[in-house]
Amino acid sequence: MKVRVREIPERIFSYGVMLFTFLISIFPLVWVVVSSFKTNKEILSNPFSIPKTLDFQVYSDVFTQYNFLSYFKNSLIVAVTATLIAVFIYSLAGYIFGKFDFRGKNFLFVLCTITLLVPGYSRAQPIFALINKLGLYNTKTGLILVYTSFGMALALFILRLSFASIPRDFDEAAIIDGAGFWRIFWNVNLPLAKSGMVTAGVLMFIQAWNEYFYALVLTADEANRTLPVAVQFFNEAFSYNYTRLFAALTLVILPGIIIYLLVQEQVQNSVASSGVKG
Amino acid sequence: MKNKWVKLWIAAFLAPTIAVLCLFYLIPILTVLVTGFTDWNGMSKPVFVGFDNYVKLISYDNTFLISMKNLFLWSLIAATAHVGFGTLVAFVLYKKRFGWRLVRGAFMIPMVISSAAWAMIYNLIFNDEYGLINNGVRKLGFGNFHVSWFYESPAAFFAITLTWLFYAVYVTLIVYNDLMAIPKEVHEAALLDGASEWQVTRFINIPLVKNAIATGIILSVTARIAGFEEVALTSRGGPGNDTYNITLMLYDGIVNYQHGYANSAATIMILLGMLVMVIINRAFKMNERTY
């Protein structure tokens, strides 16, 4: 029993830290969601109160007015396309880095991954100039190109490892069966690297879905604006209609949370492993 | 398959990645470093002006110096309190007390939502009229408590700090990963030798996650160098230029077509990023093996 008594302060401390961590992570979001169901008057009179009714009217208002649907579609198109392209081209490279040898391979890999250490926004002006020169200013294609470039280092880390861990016996068996280079990649290796591709894809989707700085710099009107940029305009557009402001914020944060909850383990593992190697 | 064909395939598979590397990384970084020494509006030909942009950064007004002061203070807070908290959470989770998975999962959520939305949420939390902080304090009995957090100095600095201070889940995950990699036998041997729980933590676990903590410091300070949303969407650098940072200066430079000037600020960002790497690597002797 003596040991148990000694453990008590430590337990209180541990649970205290856990509770604090949980609350600071969840409470702001719960507050936003709950507030979106309150009337303007309720929000102003007491920010801690619980809504009296569950009225979804405000959500359909936000969706039908203010072009919310258009922002949402832009975000979805940009994030999904960029993720698909990125996973594909970095899988090609990851396969080579994981399974083949050639002169300068290590140098090239280090060069690709060391880019992780250059502060992302420092390349803003040249990228702005490049997108302008390609005639892609204020287009979704421009944003897709930029977001495709984003996760390069991280994706290569993850994908090289996935491909390297696929036994070479499979390749040799396929060669004996007369399979060519592309078929060995596409039919033999790619299916086995799926979990790595999902991990990299999830990380890149979340990054692209949430990106703000380049979306702000590279788009000019609502036809091409994504949700994170739109957030800024909600503040003005919903002047003094706080219910709508909270509802709009809820709609912006929800997709990311849902996707995360679906693939929690993968996200956590990839953050941990990429951090160590980064 | 002939060897020549394999070589061609390898080149073809690498081509898109190499194109991205060149177009979005190598050429931009080179452009930044070179045009930082030019007067350039982004369209006409850049004119070489030596160190003029850098002189202008320091002497035009005090925005750059204030940005550097803010960066220094924020980096210090990030490297100590922020990384410290993330590490603490990792050590607590490592005990696998009831509910640890839920806490780890929840801690991750602020990282997966848009930091623009997160900044907006904090804007609302700190709102004087209907925000949580001020109303909470008023409910505690300080009926006259009114602070316009993002519009007053020095409140704005602290309010911005609070938008990221505790959200160190990547530090937690990296440190936790390293804790899990410590062989069980090490702990068993120490406990058999009569070491206390605290001694195990202090003399075995902390030294063995040293590299993870150093990585956490590098990542968190780098995040401060490139911080944008938490300032742009809350105080917008104000009041005055009290909470300005380099990214905001870079943004101003780009939208005002002072691209040479913007790139001199970007050069400073790159150099600072490298400096942080070198300092932390030295301080933690990261290249030495721990066990």
Side-chain angles (χ1 to χ4, degrees), chain B residues 9 24 27 35 38-39 60 66 71 99 134 142 199 226 240 250 259 261 269 278 282:
Chain B
W9 276 111
F24 288 94
I27 295 173
T35 58
T38 65
D39 183 18
Y60 177 67
I66 286 182
L71 176 62
N134 286 6
F142 302 93
Q199 283 171 322
L250 175 65
H259 287 190
Y261 185 58
M269 279 171 93
V278 172
R282 280 275 169 82

Side-chain angles (χ1 to χ4, degrees), chain A residues 10-11 13-15 17-18 20-22 24-29 31-32 43-44 46-48 89-90 92-93 95-97 100 102 108 111-112 115 117-128 130 145-146 149-150 152 156 179-182 184-185 206 210 212-213 216-217 228 231-232 235 242 245-246 249 252-253 256-257 260-261 264-265 267-268 271-273 275-276, chain B residues 1 6 9-10 13-14 16-18 20-21 23-26 28-29 31-32 35 40 42 85 88-89 92-93 95 97-118 120-125 129-132 135-136 139 166-167 170 173-174 177-178 215 219 222 225-226 228-229 233 247 250-251 254 257 259 263 266 269-270 273 277:
Chain A
E10 189 274 320
R11 275 186 182 232
F13 179 74
S14 290
Y15 281 116
V17 171
M18 282 164 71
F20 178 75
T21 308
F22 185 77
I24 53 155
S25 307
I26 297 296
F27 192 68
L29 305 173
W31 179 64
V32 168
I43 291 170
L44 287 169
N46 183 1
F48 298 98
I89 66 172
Y90 300 136
L92 296 176
Y95 175 61
I96 302 297
F97 282 126
F100 293 85
F102 57 90
L108 185 63
L111 201 60
C112 284
T115 57
L117 299 172
V118 179
Y121 301 147
S122 64
R123 294 174 288 116
Q125 187 280 328
I127 287 177
F128 177 71
L130 173 71
L145 269 183
V146 174
S149 75
F150 263 14
M152 183 176 74
L156 287 179
F181 194 93
W182 178 257
I184 296 176
F185 167 71
I206 289 175
N210 292 332
Y212 174 74
F213 182 86
L216 183 68
V217 174
V231 166
Q232 181 186 8
N235 217 359
Y242 301 114
L245 183 57
F246 280 112
L249 271 175
V252 174
I253 60 182
I257 295 177
Y260 162 67
L261 290 178
Q264 241 191 83
E265 286 294 314
V267 177
Q268 288 174 1
V271 170
S273 57
V276 171
Chain B
M1 246 186 308
V6 173
W9 276 111
I10 288 178
F13 270 46
L14 289 175
T17 299
I18 291 175
V20 169
L21 177 68
L23 283 176
F24 288 94
Y25 292 93
L26 299 185
I29 291 169
T31 309
V32 164
T35 58
W40 188 33
F85 182 72
L88 174 70
V89 175
V92 167
L93 291 180
K95 292 189 185 300
R97 296 252 185 260
F98 176 77
W100 72 278
R101 269 177 199 281
L102 182 71
V103 172
R104 188 181 64 170
F107 201 22
M108 194 62 200
I109 288 179
M111 296 298 285
V112 300
I113 68 175
S114 143
S115 45
W118 194 248
M120 274 294 289
I121 291 171
Y122 261 85
N123 218 342
L124 300 174
I125 287 178
E129 223 178 329
Y130 51 85
L132 289 175
N135 275 291
K139 275 211 157 55
F166 294 112
Y167 303 102
Y170 53 97
L173 291 177
I174 299 166
N177 220 34
D178 269 19
T215 308
L219 289 174
T222 309
I225 295 174
F228 183 67
E229 288 91 332
L233 287 168
T247 316
L250 175 65
Y251 175 79
I254 292 173
Y257 292 97
H259 287 190
N263 280 344
M269 279 171 93
I270 295 174
M277 274 288 298

Side-chain angles (χ1 to χ4, degrees), chain B residues 218-257:
Chain B
I218 292 173
L219 289 174
S220 62
V221 174
T222 309
R224 301 291 43 99
I225 295 174
F228 183 67
E229 288 91 332
E230 76 270 18
V231 178
L233 287 168
T234 55
S235 69
R236 188 86 202 24
N241 55 11
D242 261 23
T243 54
Y244 242 83
N245 70 5
I246 315 179
T247 316
L248 216 52
M249 293 188 75
L250 175 65
Y251 175 79
D252 287 348
I254 292 173
V255 295
N256 293 327
Y257 292 97

Side-chain angles (χ1 to χ4, degrees), chain B residues 171-190:
Chain B
V171 179
T172 301
L173 291 177
I174 299 166
V175 172
Y176 180 81
N177 220 34
D178 269 19
L179 278 174
M180 293 301 286
I182 299 171
K184 286 268 173 296
E185 295 81 40
V186 176
H187 287 161
E188 281 160 14

